[in-house]
Amino acid sequence: QVQLVESGGGLVQAGGSLRLSCAASGRTASSYAMGWFRQAPGKEREFVAAINWSGSSTFHAGSMKGRFTISRDNAKNTLYLQMNSLKPEDTAVYYCAAVLPRGGNVYYTELYEYHYWGQGTQVTVSS
């Protein structure tokens, strides 16, 4: 089992940057494939980015590609999301999630595939 705690959210002007962190605790935290999702008010939770357990493979949602970068530091058991060129439509609660890979060093992009979730961190982008 793994516990996840996000941090780094806040208020930023359009065009600015933020780096979110997700601290994972648990004996085998570095073995988990991980991802970022977000949920804006009145909308469903949506996929942002995913990374395999080793950090060798990543995938970013189309609308975030080129602006957001997912990474991880397994020595620190920490997942990151670097967000640049932020837009007001990026305003949402951002969640990190984790799942033990079922086969191979893979990442997952679907919400239902993840078993563990953090409590979320609010990101607000002002225009």
Side-chain angles (χ1 to χ4, degrees), residues 19-101:
R19 188 177 80 157
L20 306 183
S21 298
C22 173
S25 60
R27 203 154 46 90
T28 59
S30 61
S31 301
Y32 287 72
M34 301 188 74
W36 287 100
F37 291 77
R38 69 183 186 183
Q39 188 166 18
K43 295 188 176 181
E44 294 186 350
R45 195 169 299 190
E46 66 172 345
F47 169 77
V48 174
I51 190 167
N52 61 357
W53 71 262
S54 68
S56 62
S57 294
T58 63
F59 185 81
H60 299 78
S63 60
M64 275 72 86
K65 200 172 295 183
R67 298 191 300 123
F68 292 8
T69 303
I70 189 171
S71 63
R72 66 190 297 163
D73 184 340
N74 284 342
K76 297 181 179 180
N77 284 343
T78 302
L79 177 73
Y80 301 101
L81 184 68
Q82 178 66 45
M83 305 187 294
N84 300 326
S85 302
L86 283 162
K87 305 175 182 179
E89 51 264 43
D90 294 318
T91 295
V93 177
Y94 284 71
Y95 299 89
C96 67
V99 61
L100 275 176

